[in-house]
Amino acid sequence: MSFPVYNTEKSREMFSRATKVIPSGIYGHLGPAEGQFIPVSKWPMFAEKAKGTYVWDVDGNKYIDYMCAYGPNVLGYCDPDVDAAAAKQTALGNCTTQPGKVMVECAELLVDTVATADWAFFAKNGNDATQGAIMCARAYTHRKKVIMFSGYYHGVSPWCQKIDYPGVLPEDVANNIMLPWNDIPLLERTIEENKNEIACLIAQPYDHGNFHDNAFPEEGFWPKVREICTKNDIVLIVDDVRAGFRLDLAGSDHFFGFEADLICFCKALANGYNMSAICGKEFLKGAMSSLAYTGSYWLSAVPFAACIANINKMKALDIPTMFKQKGEKLCNGLVKAGKEHGIDLVVSGAPALFYLRIGNDDSMLLHQEWIAEMVSRGIFLASHHNHFINASLSDKDIKRTIEIGEECFGIVAKNHPELFR
Amino acid sequence: MMTDAKTLAYINMYAVLGTLENLCELDKEASELVKTKKPVSIGLEVKGGPSATLTFLNGRCRMEQGTADCDFLLPFSTPEKFNAMVDGTGSALPSKGFSKVFFLLKKFIPLTDILSKYLRPTEEDLKDDKFFEISTKLMFYVITVALSQIGNNDEIGKFSASLIPDGIIDVSIKDCVSATIQVKDSHMITIKEKPEAFRSQMQFCDIRTARALFDGKINAIASIGEGKVEMHGLINMIDNVNRILDRVALYLA
């Protein structure tokens, strides 16, 4: 079977319009530069509509979307239950002078759901949550330094960018200490060398950075980190913005067998409705209260209603188990399809957030070629980033993905007879 | 952001004066000017900084590291003094080889004047297609060599270089000019020729696009979206090179 190759001409036209009035046309991770649209001609740039696991671009092409808006799509785009809850709240009020009672109900649900949560604090984006968590830790400890692990991504505030990024000052990152994963002796030595100066350790639950195979920490790593942080009065923050709820509805710290002091959520929290949250332990509630930290839309009611409906549905569906099964089925099928053509597809990370790489070369060139062929046949993947499973992804979608995957592996193999005979 | 004089001296030595090699290949007047029957070599030595020898023979120029075999030597006690000489606001006196002062004054300095004309062109000059092409090629070499110098010497540049995986990066203007950037253990070397193979590639689709980007007239990120700049391979190599590229503009401003 041969799958047709899409034309994305209207996306190009729209992008040309965009560059005239928007810096970079599409900035950030959704854009062609950061999103690694290689080659750009194969990729859709603008969506017309979305439903379930599908996105239709402005040229009318339909995609099975494995990026899920980089995470927020957890149940499926335009989920009827979440949208109904949001619509009901919209009719009652959204951005009002007094927050809706739904905010309290949402906080109560998070406290009941997230293992480490004694309270919940709300904001809008993942970066708001990580920024708030760092401020809370500094307010509580009266210390300034922050430990992070290599491959980190904690948002776009200057402190969590790097010294060589445009607009970032050396002073912005002067209190950051970057350490490798799994090196407990180095962590202990670093803490000793910075005695009483480290406010917090912030980390994603596992290394799900870009451009490299994703990896879980070694057995016993997290409990040991927990022990060291407790011993040294260092606030332990889990940045669960990306992985949150996809591994464990009680939080990814719960999945790895420890308790964070603060945990940050965003993407899967409200199925695309705009909110983020910090959940924390009782002893940090006062410090969190002390912060001058808020925003015009942070307590808007509609996302809270969406969040409640979303969490309840994720619980009912047992999302972590479902995502593990779907992720494994998909990845196993793709690996097998690759083997048919002598292509070694390497899968890493949690199945719910699978990361792919063709292992036959170390340059990603083959992988980018395969990804581009997939995208241009309606399977939206990324070449540099982990992917996301959503609940609307059906067995039929997985089957189609594997079939297109096999065809595209064949194209790559045919393009490189010197590598694949 | 701050720049430092020592890094600028490395850029001036290898990226700016090093481009005399290419100038003599690309510009007939420059080549004629240094057409010597016997080789003449000028050593440039910056205390606590770079040192190199430019050798001229048969209208060609070649730069090599160190000053051991030069006919005459221009010593500079500080990077600042060397930078001032390159910038045209300072001067230098040879410490040996006074008999070659004629070459210095009548050949070398006019040669650098030709280079300046190409590297700091007027809008009028750029209307000439041949001039435009030579100027853009020379700028390309200056930028690609400066990348490695900043990655090896500038504090923030060294941070960026430390995040570049080992391998070869191909930086090219399509069907025009290429450079190889080799990265090994965070040390960068630029070779002014196309690599046989690469781990990542950044390619400008044509010379006009490259020029517009060099001059800051178009946006690099938007150009990627428009397909005018293509990236392939291990993009985190290019990502970090682009961080350094930001600093190239700062040093060469």
Side-chain angles (χ1 to χ4, degrees), chain B residues 20-46:
Chain B
L20 290 172
E21 292 178 329
N22 312 95
L23 177 72
C24 292
E25 286 168 10
L26 295 169
D27 183 90
K28 203 174 170 189
E29 183 194 351
S31 179
E32 289 293 331
L33 189 64
V34 291
K35 212 161 232 175
T36 57
K37 286 178 186 167
K38 288 183 181 173
V40 179
S41 56
I42 304 172
L44 300 144
E45 194 168 71
V46 182

Side-chain angles (χ1 to χ4, degrees), chain A residues 121-123 127-133 135 278 288 291-295 298:
Chain A
F121 180 99
F122 299 110
N127 187 92
D128 301 332
T130 54
Q131 169 78 51
M135 289 172 71
I278 306 168
M288 199 71 219
L291 303 183
Y293 199 55
T294 184
W298 286 18

Side-chain angles (χ1 to χ4, degrees), chain A residues 36 38 164 166 168 362-363 368, chain B residues 1 160 199 231 233-235:
Chain A
Q36 321 265 303
I38 302 169
D164 56 347
V168 175
D362 71 350
S363 68
Q368 283 159 2
Chain B
M1 290 290 193
S160 305
R199 207 172 176 201
M231 302 186 297
L234 208 57
I235 303 300

Side-chain angles (χ1 to χ4, degrees), chain A residues 43-300:
Chain A
W43 298 73
M45 290 184 168
F46 294 92
E48 186 70 51
K49 61 176 183 177
K51 180 69 186 166
T53 198
Y54 309 121
V55 170
W56 287 261
D57 69 7
V58 288
D59 288 270
N61 303 310
K62 181 183 175 184
Y63 298 85
I64 299 173
D65 179 10
Y66 287 101
M67 291 315 292
C68 295
Y70 279 74
N73 178 26
V74 63
L75 293 179
Y77 291 115
C78 303
D79 179 79
D81 298 318
V82 174
D83 285 2
K88 190 175 167 192
Q89 183 60 46
T90 301
L92 293 171
N94 181 28
C95 186
T96 48
T97 309
Q98 295 81 22
K101 66 177 182 175
V102 71
M103 177 174 87
V104 182
E105 292 162 3
C106 187
E108 286 170 347
L109 181 59
L110 277 171
V111 168
D112 288 344
T113 304
V114 175
T116 197
D118 292 319
W119 50 265
F121 180 99
F122 299 110
K124 281 292 153 196
N125 285 294
N127 187 92
D128 301 332
T130 54
Q131 169 78 51
I134 295 290
M135 289 172 71
C136 175
R138 284 176 169 158
Y140 178 77
T141 60
H142 297 281
R143 300 172 181 171
K144 59 185 179 181
K145 294 188 179 175
V146 177
I147 292 178
M148 298 183 259
F149 290 137
S150 54
Y152 67 86
Y153 176 77
H154 298 304
V156 291
S157 287
W159 69 267
C160 52
Q161 297 202 32
K162 296 191 174 80
I163 195 170
D164 56 347
Y165 280 37
V168 175
L169 305 175
E171 292 87 343
D172 291 326
V173 293
N175 293 307
N176 293 352
I177 300 172
M178 190 175 78
L179 298 178
W181 285 87
N182 299 318
D183 194 339
I184 291 291
L186 181 59
L187 174 64
E188 289 179 314
R189 202 162 62 243
T190 303
I191 290 170
E192 189 57 34
E193 286 166 3
N194 295 273
K195 197 91 184 152
N196 298 324
E197 286 188 284
I198 296 170
C200 58
L201 184 154
I202 182 168
Q204 293 151 338
Y206 68 96
D207 182 2
H208 50 55
N210 301 340
F211 301 113
H212 59 263
D213 292 350
N214 291 186
F216 282 4
E218 287 170 3
E219 187 71 31
F221 175 74
W222 270 126
K224 188 67 187 168
V225 171
R226 172 69 276 180
E227 183 190 318
I228 292 167
C229 287
T230 303
K231 187 178 151 198
N232 291 280
D233 299 318
I234 292 168
V235 176
L236 177 54
I237 304 168
V238 166
D239 175 352
D240 217 7
V241 167
R242 195 182 298 189
F245 303 113
R246 280 187 159 87
L247 299 182
D248 188 328
L249 293 174
S252 296
D253 55 344
H254 186 256
F255 179 83
F256 284 105
F258 71 104
E259 275 201 0
D261 296 321
L262 296 170
I263 186 164
C264 305
F265 295 110
C266 181
K267 293 179 184 298
L269 193 54
N271 203 50
Y273 286 86
N274 179 205
M275 66 178 287
S276 61
I278 306 168
C279 292
K281 285 187 176 296
E282 185 63 33
F283 77 94
L284 289 165
K285 200 170 163 190
M288 199 71 219
S289 301
S290 74
L291 303 183
Y293 199 55
T294 184
S296 298
Y297 302 97
W298 286 18
L299 308 188
S300 295

Side-chain angles (χ1 to χ4, degrees), chain B:
Chain B
M1 290 290 193
M2 295 289 288
T3 58
D4 75 83
K6 188 173 161 184
T7 301
L8 183 58
Y10 275 93
I11 293 169
N12 279 331
M13 182 70 84
Y14 298 114
V16 178
L17 294 181
T19 303
L20 290 172
E21 292 178 329
N22 312 95
L23 177 72
C24 292
E25 286 168 10
L26 295 169
D27 183 90
K28 203 174 170 189
E29 183 194 351
S31 179
E32 289 293 331
L33 189 64
V34 291
K35 212 161 232 175
T36 57
K37 286 178 186 167
K38 288 183 181 173
V40 179
S41 56
I42 304 172
L44 300 144
E45 194 168 71
V46 182
K47 195 173 179 186
S51 66
T53 298
L54 285 161
T55 302
F56 299 91
L57 178 64
N58 292 333
R60 290 182 163 271
C61 168
R62 181 167 168 75
M63 176 176 263
E64 285 175 332
Q65 294 216 24
T67 55
D69 296 321
C70 62
D71 295 324
F72 66 99
L73 180 69
L74 297 175
F76 299 88
S77 58
T78 64
E80 285 83 353
K81 286 182 180 169
F82 173 67
N83 294 336
M85 189 276 288
V86 175
D87 198 35
T89 56
S91 56
L93 279 176
S95 68
K96 74 166 192 175
F98 286 98
S99 60
K100 306 285 185 184
V101 167
F102 173 82
F103 185 88
L104 181 69
L105 295 176
K106 299 295 180 188
K107 304 283 184 180
F108 183 68
I109 290 175
L111 186 69
T112 58
D113 288 342
I114 297 173
L115 183 65
S116 295
K117 190 180 72 169
Y118 280 116
L119 295 182
R120 291 179 178 165
T122 63
E123 286 294 326
E124 199 56 34
D125 287 338
L126 290 170
K127 287 177 184 166
D128 179 87
D129 285 349
K130 187 69 189 163
F131 182 96
F132 178 91
E133 186 187 330
I134 295 174
S135 171
T136 306
K137 283 181 175 175
L138 293 175
M139 276 185 81
F140 174 86
Y141 288 130
V142 169
I143 289 167
T144 50
V145 176
L147 272 172
S148 289
Q149 298 308 322
I150 292 172
N152 296 338
N153 295 289
D154 174 80
E155 281 309 311
I156 293 175
K158 282 195 274 189
F159 174 81
S160 305
S162 75
L163 299 176
I164 305 176
D166 287 354
I168 285 174
I169 305 166
D170 173 15
V171 183
S172 301
I173 301 174
K174 199 172 181 182
D175 302 325
C176 179
V177 65
S178 297
T180 299
I181 298 177
Q182 271 180 4
V183 185
K184 174 80 176 146
D185 298 331
S186 307
H187 186 79
M188 300 172 69
I189 298 171
T190 300
I191 301 161
K192 292 184 273 189
E193 59 189 46
K194 192 166 182 63
E196 282 183 17
F198 56 81
R199 207 172 176 201
S200 69
Q201 182 190 49
M202 178 162 59
Q203 183 166 257
F204 308 104
C205 70
D206 58 50
I207 195 166
R208 295 276 161 193
T209 297
R211 181 80 207 196
L213 280 163
F214 297 164
D215 291 344
K217 289 181 177 168
I218 58 174
N219 175 271
I221 306 291
S223 297
I224 291 170
E226 289 167 334
K228 293 176 180 172
V229 178
E230 287 184 7
M231 302 186 297
H232 300 278
L234 208 57
I235 303 300
N236 49 341
M237 297 180 87
I238 297 172
D239 240 6
N240 289 298
V241 163
N242 282 338
R243 309 275 172 223
I244 303 175
L245 207 49
D246 243 16
R247 298 191 68 69
V248 171
L250 192 66
Y251 275 101
L252 295 178

